[in-house]
Amino acid sequence: MTASSHPRSGFRLADLTWVDAANLLGDGLPVVIPVASASRAHGPHLPLGTDRLVAEVVAERLLASLPVLVAPCIAQGFQPAFMDYPGSQHLEANTFQALVAEVVEGYLRHGAERILLLNNGIATEAPLKLVAQDILHHHGVRIATADLPRLGSLGLGSRSASVDDLDERDTSLLLAIQPALVRLDRLQEMAADADDEEGMPPDGTDEPRLLSLRRPLRFTPEEREGGVLNRSGTTGNATAATAEKGEALLAAMVDEIVADLRLLWPDL
């Protein structure tokens, strides 16, 4: 199969035989690797698997638009800010980087030449930058990364993404793709508690808003030395979320990634 005869849509690697995978990797199809935690707290109203669910839907829409190979999700992440919430899983930075690097190197070993990391996390951005740099240093391959929390803002009429908007974004996305998993009763409770001093950080905590300095952040559902008390585990105003916003976000994110991939790899 030549570049000009690539299919208009892609494939899920997990659905292929190894023979089919070898042929498609040999044909130069890019490999899209979702990187998103399957178990991280998002407040009392959203499932722990929110990050993974969103990343996989974005990957599916890319697969429908471009000739790419969508790999299984790397569903363990570097999530130090939420490790105190039951069910949330967290890998140390070195472990997370080694995991992602070995997965990427496996695809390179099997003939992949173009790789996109579809990252749905904030804390994971820095470790993934180091992975990409190491892959370039050791293998001479420049992998691409799409950081989903920073994309799609134009779909909401905004020019830039904000960490303060994360729960509105995540809740809107889940309302669009898996509404049955959103606990609307708890969302209503959060609306009633929005003015409480233990409401939605960072405004709802004693954490100062620093303009030029950064410090590591660790939310905790209970008082803990060094932690920022956040009983709900939310970051932003989830009560403003709607399914319509979620669909607009998804469409904008996918459009932005597709446009950039076609600039990066014009044969797609």
Side-chain angles (χ1 to χ4, degrees):
M1 184 184 294
T2 65
S4 60
S5 62
H6 277 169
R8 292 187 178 181
S9 58
F11 305 88
R12 299 180 199 89
L13 269 171
D15 294 342
L16 303 175
T17 68
W18 72 265
V19 177
D20 296 329
N23 289 334
L24 291 167
L25 287 168
D27 288 335
L29 267 66
V31 178
V32 176
I33 308 175
V35 182
S37 177
S39 193
R40 177 177 82 80
H42 287 77
H45 64 298
L46 292 181
L48 291 165
T50 291
D51 289 345
R52 179 185 62 82
L53 290 169
V54 170
E56 290 185 341
V57 168
V58 173
E60 283 291 316
R61 295 196 181 193
L62 290 176
L63 179 150
S65 302
L66 295 171
V68 296
L69 297 174
V70 173
C73 182
I74 298 176
Q76 296 292 334
F78 172 69
Q79 301 292 348
F82 295 91
M83 60 191 294
D84 290 330
Y85 296 85
S88 295
Q89 294 296 305
H90 163 68
L91 297 179
E92 295 294 329
N94 289 341
T95 305
F96 173 67
Q97 289 170 213
L99 170 63
V100 177
E102 289 194 28
V103 171
V104 170
E105 288 169 340
Y107 291 122
L108 295 177
R109 186 168 60 251
H110 296 147
E113 298 176 349
R114 302 183 288 188
I115 291 177
L116 168 67
L117 297 180
L118 201 61
N119 171 47
N120 195 21
I122 294 293
T124 46
E125 289 180 7
L128 289 177
K129 286 179 181 178
L130 294 176
V131 171
Q133 195 64 47
D134 283 346
I135 293 295
L136 175 59
H137 177 70
H138 292 291
H139 301 279
V141 176
R142 298 175 66 188
I143 63 177
T145 303
D147 295 315
L148 297 186
R150 303 192 184 278
L151 302 181
S153 296
L154 290 177
L156 296 181
S158 173
R159 293 192 176 184
S160 61
S162 168
V163 173
D164 293 351
D165 298 332
L166 285 180
D167 262 22
E168 179 185 353
R169 287 171 58 95
D170 288 341
T171 304
S172 294
L173 289 165
L174 259 289
L175 286 171
I177 64 177
Q178 290 276 12
L181 295 181
V182 181
R183 290 291 302 270
L184 293 176
D185 55 327
R186 292 179 179 170
L187 199 58
Q188 292 166 355
E189 293 173 8
M190 290 164 61
D193 294 340
D195 294 328
D196 186 83
E197 65 178 2
E198 294 174 352
M200 301 172 192
D203 289 331
T205 71
D206 293 331
E207 184 71 6
R209 285 181 172 271
L210 303 174
L211 298 179
S212 61
L213 305 178
R214 293 182 182 178
R215 298 191 300 173
L217 185 64
R218 181 172 180 175
F219 293 132
T220 59
E222 299 176 348
E223 295 281 359
R224 179 190 179 105
E225 184 177 357
V228 175
L229 182 63
N230 176 2
R231 296 195 188 282
S232 70
T234 55
T235 51
N237 182 14
T239 62
T242 67
E244 291 74 20
K245 289 180 180 179
E247 185 54 46
L249 271 168
L250 276 173
M253 284 193 288
V254 172
D255 286 348
E256 289 172 27
I257 297 171
V258 168
D260 272 359
L261 288 180
R262 285 178 171 154
L263 284 174
L264 187 61
W265 301 316
D267 62 303
L268 293 182

